[in-house]
Amino acid sequence: MIDHLGLQTADSEAAAAFYQQVFAACGLREAMRYHTPHGPVIGLCGPDGHPQLWVSPMEDTGHRPVHLALRAPSREAVDEVFAAARATGTEILHEPRVWPEYHPGYYGVFFRDPDGNNVEAVHHSPPS
């Protein structure tokens, strides 16, 4: 479970747009934003409206990739995230599949976001 996660990004507007486009099938949308001298800090939420993913301007340019897994409501939504990520031309690390090494109902896709982070959409369900 993720309460919230903050990512420092090269361009918070572009990062927020990317996440909203790719995770549209999961109901991801902008909940709020506030402005800083270095650019906007944008809170993204799921269907509950609570901002859990924050993108903000990078504080320094060091290499700090993050792994972020967002829960999808269904396997079909994972597949839709994959299609949307592929449509943006992003690097796909692993196409959607069952990952039995995690557990039998773990279905996920892995890709890079615009800042090089390893992002995953995952659905947990009983094996079919």
Side-chain angles (χ1 to χ4, degrees), residues 2-126:
I2 297 175
D3 179 68
H4 67 275
L5 176 68
L7 298 176
Q8 294 181 27
T9 63
D11 180 339
S12 54
E13 293 274 4
F18 173 82
Y19 278 102
Q20 290 178 83
Q21 178 182 354
V22 170
F23 283 97
C26 300
L28 191 80
R29 61 183 173 79
E30 184 173 324
M32 60 186 298
R33 72 171 55 208
Y34 63 90
H35 296 279
T36 72
H38 303 290
V41 175
I42 302 168
L44 303 172
C45 68
D48 68 357
H50 180 76
Q52 294 173 308
L53 175 59
W54 293 87
V55 293
S56 63
M58 197 171 285
E59 291 180 17
D60 69 47
T61 57
H63 183 69
R64 296 184 310 272
V66 170
H67 173 66
L68 169 66
L70 297 179
R71 199 171 299 151
S74 65
R75 288 184 177 196
E76 293 78 18
V78 171
D79 293 339
E80 289 178 41
V81 168
F82 167 62
R86 186 174 50 192
T88 70
T90 194
E91 177 187 359
I92 304 299
L93 300 173
H94 303 285
E95 293 191 9
R97 71 172 176 88
V98 173
W99 295 83
E101 58 269 38
Y102 302 148
H103 68 73
Y106 194 109
Y107 186 77
V109 60
F110 297 79
F111 53 91
R112 296 265 184 229
D113 75 1
D115 290 288
N117 295 305
N118 176 345
V119 179
E120 172 186 1
V122 60
H123 178 71
H124 304 278
S125 64

